[in-house]
Amino acid sequence: MDKSKRPFLKSKRSFRRRLPPIQSGDRIDYRNMSLISRFISEQGKILSRRVNRLTLKQQRLITIAIKQARILSLLPFLNNEKQFERIESTTRTTGLRTRNK
């Protein structure tokens, strides 16, 4: 059969099965910072379950552990690498025009 005659058949692609992000021996705990930090974005947000490739039960445990670590000040609530940088800007008074009376 010609390839042009079978447009809807997908080619068989080999794919590598991804390893689960949490091994069976890993304990999901608020003290396990190396594990918890893998599931937090650069901004400090908890990544979604789809991004993490976790099961529902694992995602719930990770979320609880992250929130406990935040409350105990082991993790920051926000991760602002850039502190509020003040760029040299003109002040408002210099931009105002004076009225001629």
Side-chain angles (χ1 to χ4, degrees), residues 39-57:
F39 303 108
I40 299 177
S41 69
E42 292 178 4
Q43 299 169 342
K45 295 180 182 179
I46 302 172
L47 294 175
S48 70
R49 185 177 152 226
R50 219 175 354 152
V51 174
N52 290 335
R53 301 184 318 270
L54 295 174
T55 64
L56 185 61
K57 188 173 184 179

Side-chain angles (χ1 to χ4, degrees), residues 3-84:
K3 283 189 178 183
S4 61
K5 294 181 182 178
R6 352 173 237 153
F8 296 110
L9 292 178
K10 292 183 180 179
S11 64
K12 291 188 177 183
R13 293 174 20 193
S14 64
F15 64 93
R16 192 175 61 163
R17 187 174 181 133
R18 291 187 175 184
L19 295 173
I22 297 178
Q23 307 300 327
S24 60
D26 288 341
R27 280 197 48 146
I28 300 175
D29 196 14
Y30 67 92
R31 294 172 284 183
N32 193 351
M33 297 305 294
S34 61
L35 178 70
I36 288 178
S37 60
R38 287 190 283 172
F39 303 108
I40 299 177
S41 69
E42 292 178 4
Q43 299 169 342
K45 295 180 182 179
I46 302 172
L47 294 175
S48 70
R49 185 177 152 226
R50 219 175 354 152
V51 174
N52 290 335
R53 301 184 318 270
L54 295 174
T55 64
L56 185 61
K57 188 173 184 179
Q58 288 173 337
Q59 180 70 23
R60 280 196 198 120
L61 291 172
I62 284 289
T63 303
I64 290 169
I66 290 172
K67 289 179 180 180
Q68 286 175 343
R70 284 175 176 168
I71 290 170
L72 293 173
S73 299
L74 299 175
L75 277 176
F77 280 93
L78 295 175
N79 191 9
N80 290 336
E81 290 295 325
K82 294 181 186 175
Q83 293 297 328
F84 299 104

Side-chain angles (χ1 to χ4, degrees), residues 82-99:
K82 294 181 186 175
Q83 293 297 328
F84 299 104
E85 295 177 9
R86 275 207 176 221
I87 300 172
E88 292 293 324
S89 62
T90 58
T91 59
R92 293 184 74 174
T93 55
T94 58
L96 296 176
R97 295 182 184 172
T98 56
R99 289 187 183 172

